[in-house]
Amino acid sequence: ITVSAGSASASASFTVTVNATAPTNTPPTISSITNQTITSGGTVGPVSFTIGDAQTSASNLKLTATSSNTTLVPTSAVTFGGSGANRTVTVKPASGRTGTSTIKITVSDGSASASASFTVTVNAAAPVNTAPTISSIATQSTQVGVAVGPIAFTVGDAQTAAGSLTLSATSSNTT
């Protein structure tokens, strides 16, 4: 820098150092995942989603999952597949359980993270309609024109009360 007053002047110098600013680390991205509904005993997925990051290769991003209801969906029952930006999630709820759990998937680049959540609803399986039961009936003998009976037997059904079952009979010899 120079300052002057007429014919007289003075100068001084100094150094300016410009340091590069550290790049800003933006958080990774994760696409949304739609809510899922299954029947007890079923499995969700694999369901596709995508991840990305401006500074980190998708193959170097880390995925983790949590479950809001670990009795229904243990965290270990949430597994990931795929590679690069194209990933999948599979959820295997506990056997015989019903209810709802929020699954939160987090993607991290080691410094920043982003999350996507979806619900898994597990409904009870429809009951299996089993065949009714009837006790065995011993062979019966009679004379022509003489009725046989009464004949004792029992009926049952897992889904229908015995009194609501319909009984019918046929004969192999109607002559």
Side-chain angles (χ1 to χ4, degrees), residues 52-71:
D53 189 76
Q55 293 81 32
T56 306
S57 166
S59 60
N60 292 327
L61 296 172
K62 181 180 178 186
L63 291 171
T64 56
T66 59
S67 169
S68 67
N69 181 349
T70 56
T71 301

Side-chain angles (χ1 to χ4, degrees), residues 51-129:
I51 58 173
D53 189 76
Q55 293 81 32
T56 306
S57 166
S59 60
N60 292 327
L61 296 172
K62 181 180 178 186
L63 291 171
T64 56
T66 59
S67 169
S68 67
N69 181 349
T70 56
T71 301
L72 178 64
V73 180
T75 302
S76 62
V78 181
T79 57
F80 298 109
S83 61
N86 299 309
R87 303 297 180 98
T88 62
V89 61
T90 301
V91 180
K92 178 71 175 143
S95 179
R97 300 285 183 175
T98 59
T100 300
S101 180
T102 299
I103 307 301
K104 181 179 178 182
I105 298 175
T106 301
V107 57
S108 173
D109 63 10
S111 297
S113 63
S115 299
S117 295
F118 64 100
T119 59
V120 172
T121 301
V122 181
N123 294 323
V128 176
N129 187 15

Side-chain angles (χ1 to χ4, degrees), residues 146-165:
V146 178
V148 175
I151 301 171
F153 63 94
T154 58
V155 295
D157 187 66
Q159 293 81 34
T160 307
S164 297
L165 294 172

